[in-house]
C-alpha cells in the first residue's frame, strides 16, 4: 500500500471538503454476502467547511431538502470526530447535507469522505483511493456496523461503480471499478421518510438466514445473478432488460422484509407513470429511498411528477456515457 505524501505547508484558515451521495442500483444486502453490486454517485451529497476552533460540529439541510430526522442523521458529530481523530477538538466543522439523511442515499459515507478530504487538505496530504476507502469505511462503520464498503466506494470513486467484496482466508478483498455506460441513462430518485437503520436491517436479513438457510442462500444468489445481468444490460444500454432486472431485484428484497407499504406504493406508481423498472434502494425498512429507470429524459420528468404527486420528494439524475 502506498504511503501518504507529505509536503511542508502553511495551514489554510478554512478548508472545504465534499462528496456525493449514492444510489444502489443492484446488490444491496446481497453484497454483504459476497455478491456483486452496482451503484451510481449522485449529483448532490455532503459539503463541509473546516476551520480552527474548539470542536464544534453544526449540521444543516440544504434548501429544499425535506427530512424528518436531521437531529439523528447518521450521528454527524460522532462521524466527524472519528474522521478528524486527534485534531477533532481544535477544529470546527459546518456541514451542509444536500440529500435527505437516513434514507439510504449514502449521507454517512459522503460525510465521512467529505471530512477526510478536508482534513487531508488541511494536512496537505494526498492519499491513494484504496487508503481513503479504508479510512472512510472505518468512520462509516460507526453508523452502519459491519458495512460491506459499498457506500463509501460509490461516494469515493464517483460515477457508475461496480463493487464486490470477497472473503478469502478470513480477509476481505474489495474490488471497485468505475465503469462507463454505452448510453446515458436517467434515474428518478424518490425519498419517502427514513429507512429502518442499516445495522438493524442487516441484522433483520441475517435472521431470515437463521430461519431458512437454504432458501436464504438461494435468494442471495438470485440477487447476485440479477445484479450481474442488470448491470451488464445497463452498461451496454439495454434499458428494457435493466428495468426488468430492477423489478426482479425489488421483488426479492421485498420478500426479505426490506420494503414497507409506502415504498411499495411509490415503486408501483413510478412503473405506472412510465418507468422501465423501479426498486427500493439501500438498507430498506418502512420508508427510505427508491428510484425508477426512465426510457428518456421527458419520461423521467413525468415519473418525477407522479412521484411528487404521491407525496414523496423526487429529482432526476443522469448517468452520463
Ligand atoms: C446500505 O446502503 C447497503 C447495505 O448493503 C449495507 C452495506 O453494504 O454495507 C445494506
Amino acid at each position: 500500500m502506498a504511503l501518504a505524501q507529505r509536503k511542508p505547508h502553511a495551514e489554510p484558515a478554512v478548508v472545504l471538503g465534499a462528496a456525493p451521495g449514492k444510489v444502489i442500483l443492484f446488490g444491496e444486502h446481497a453484497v454483504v454476502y459476497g455478491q456483486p453490486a452496482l451503484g451510481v454517485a449522485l449529483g448532490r451529497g455532503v459539503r463541509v467547511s473546516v476551520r480552527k476552533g474548539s470542536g464544534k460540529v453544526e449540521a444543516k439541510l440544504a434548501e429544499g431538502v425535506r427530512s424528518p430526522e436531521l437531529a439523528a442523521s447518521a450521528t454527524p458529530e460522532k462521524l466527524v470526530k472519528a474522521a478528524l481523530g486527534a485534531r477533532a477538538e481544535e477544529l470546527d466543522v459546518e456541514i451542509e447535507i444536500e440529500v435527505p439523511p437516513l434514507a439510504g442515499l449514502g449521507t454517512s459515507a459522503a460525510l465521512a469522505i467529505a471530512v477526510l478530504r478536508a482534513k487531508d487538505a488541511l494536512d496537505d496530504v494526498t492519499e491513494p483511493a484504496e487508503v481513503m476507502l479504508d479510512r472512510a469505511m472505518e468512520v462509516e462503520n460507526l453508523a452502519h456496523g459491519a458495512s460491506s464498503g459499498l457506500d463509501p466506494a460509490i461516494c469515493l470513486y464517483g460515477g457508475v461503480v461496480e463493487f464486490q467484496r470477497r472473503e478469502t482466508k478470513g480477509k476481505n478483498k474489495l474490488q471497485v471499478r468505475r465503469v462507463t455506460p454505452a448510453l446515458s441513462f436517467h434515474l428518478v430518485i424518490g425519498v419517502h421518510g427514513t429507512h429502518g437503520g442499516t445495522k438493524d436491517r442487516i441484522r433483520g436479513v441475517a435472521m431470515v438466514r437463521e430461519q431458512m438457510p437454504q432458501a436464504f442462500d438461494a435468494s442471495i444468489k438470485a440477487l447476485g445473478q440479477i445484479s450481474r445481468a442488470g448491470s451488464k444490460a445497463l452498461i451496454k444500454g439495454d434499458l428494457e432488460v435493466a428495468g426488468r432486472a430492477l423489478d426482479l431485484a425489488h421483488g426479492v428484497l421485498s420478500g426479505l422484509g426490506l420494503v414497507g407499504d409506502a415504498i411499495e406504493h411509490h415503486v408501483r406508481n413510478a412503473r405506472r407513470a412510465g418507468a422501465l423498472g423501479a426498486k427500493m434502494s439501500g438498507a430498506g425498512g418502512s420508508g427510505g429511498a427508491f428510484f425508477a429507470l426512465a426510457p428518456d429524459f421527458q419520461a423521467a420528468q413525468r415519473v418525477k411528477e407522479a412521484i411528487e404527486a404521491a407525496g414523496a420528494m423526487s429529482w432526476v439524475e443522469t448517468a452520463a456515457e
Side-chain angles (χ1 to χ4, degrees), residues 175-310:
Q175 287 174 343
V176 190
R177 194 165 74 100
R178 197 175 161 157
V179 287
T180 309
L183 299 173
S184 297
F185 58 87
H186 307 286
L187 300 175
V188 189
I189 313 294
V191 182
H192 182 114
T194 55
H195 65 38
T198 305
K199 270 188 212 168
D200 288 347
R201 295 282 57 84
I202 291 179
R203 238 181 266 134
V205 169
M207 270 171 61
V208 181
R209 185 189 210 178
E210 278 168 31
Q211 291 160 343
M212 308 177 258
Q214 285 173 343
F216 178 83
D217 283 353
S219 308
I220 294 295
K221 277 195 190 124
L223 284 170
Q225 280 160 356
I226 298 166
S227 178
R228 278 187 202 93
S231 304
K232 195 169 151 197
L234 195 59
I235 288 156
K236 73 171 198 218
D238 189 342
L239 299 187
E240 294 274 342
V241 172
R244 174 52 56 92
L246 292 174
D247 290 348
L248 205 47
H250 179 83
V252 179
L253 292 161
S254 178
L256 287 170
L258 297 164
V259 184
D261 291 349
I263 301 301
E264 206 64 78
H265 170 77
H266 285 301
V267 160
R268 287 184 186 180
N269 179 39
R271 290 176 191 149
R272 271 197 306 272
L276 296 169
K279 142 179 191 299
M280 62 75 81
S281 184
S286 57
F290 58 96
F291 70 95
L293 175 65
D296 54 48
F297 187 72
Q298 286 71 23
Q301 292 302 325
R302 288 194 294 277
V303 173
K304 171 184 168 293
E305 281 161 23
I307 292 174
E308 283 174 342

Side-chain angles (χ1 to χ4, degrees), residues 15-316:
V15 291
L16 307 176
K22 58 87 200 171
V23 62
I24 299 173
L25 272 52
F26 295 106
E28 56 272 270
H29 287 286
V31 77
V32 174
Y33 298 89
Q35 298 295 335
L38 187 80
V40 173
L42 301 175
R44 40 181 98 182
V46 174
R47 297 178 185 279
V48 299
S49 53
V50 178
R51 49 174 58 79
K52 279 221 172 320
S54 54
K56 269 194 268 140
V57 178
E58 273 171 30
K60 68 170 192 284
L61 293 176
E63 214 184 312
V65 178
R66 283 193 269 136
S67 168
E69 312 229 16
L70 175 65
S73 65
T75 52
E77 184 140 356
K78 212 161 133 191
L79 293 188
V80 167
K81 301 269 177 215
L84 292 177
R87 302 202 63 177
E89 295 313 315
E90 60 182 65
L91 298 168
D92 287 348
V93 181
E94 272 174 36
I95 306 166
E96 186 172 43
I97 304 175
E98 300 169 326
V99 287
L102 292 177
L105 294 174
T107 43
S108 19
L111 174 60
I113 294 166
V115 177
L116 289 169
R117 281 180 171 156
K119 180 173 184 282
D120 284 359
L122 259 187
D123 295 342
D124 207 11
V125 158
T126 316
E127 285 186 321
E130 64 271 25
V131 176
M132 187 62 133
L133 181 55
D134 276 352
R135 291 167 70 203
M137 280 174 68
E138 228 173 86
V139 175
E140 199 230 7
N141 274 341
L142 291 171
H144 278 197
S147 81
S148 67
L150 172 60
D151 293 10
I154 305 168
C155 300
L156 184 65
Y157 281 70
V160 183
V161 178
E162 286 180 344
F163 177 94
Q164 189 161 18
R165 180 178 74 163
R166 293 178 197 273
E167 209 180 298
T168 22
K169 295 180 189 151
K171 280 201 163 180
N172 281 326
K173 194 171 173 315
L174 304 185
Q175 287 174 343
V176 190
R177 194 165 74 100
R178 197 175 161 157
V179 287
T180 309
L183 299 173
S184 297
F185 58 87
H186 307 286
L187 300 175
V188 189
I189 313 294
V191 182
H192 182 114
T194 55
H195 65 38
T198 305
K199 270 188 212 168
D200 288 347
R201 295 282 57 84
I202 291 179
R203 238 181 266 134
V205 169
M207 270 171 61
V208 181
R209 185 189 210 178
E210 278 168 31
Q211 291 160 343
M212 308 177 258
Q214 285 173 343
F216 178 83
D217 283 353
S219 308
I220 294 295
K221 277 195 190 124
L223 284 170
Q225 280 160 356
I226 298 166
S227 178
R228 278 187 202 93
S231 304
K232 195 169 151 197
L234 195 59
I235 288 156
K236 73 171 198 218
D238 189 342
L239 299 187
E240 294 274 342
V241 172
R244 174 52 56 92
L246 292 174
D247 290 348
L248 205 47
H250 179 83
V252 179
L253 292 161
S254 178
L256 287 170
L258 297 164
V259 184
D261 291 349
I263 301 301
E264 206 64 78
H265 170 77
H266 285 301
V267 160
R268 287 184 186 180
N269 179 39
R271 290 176 191 149
R272 271 197 306 272
L276 296 169
K279 142 179 191 299
M280 62 75 81
S281 184
S286 57
F290 58 96
F291 70 95
L293 175 65
D296 54 48
F297 187 72
Q298 286 71 23
Q301 292 302 325
R302 288 194 294 277
V303 173
K304 171 184 168 293
E305 281 161 23
I307 292 174
E308 283 174 342
M313 180 181 168
S314 182
W315 70 93
V316 177

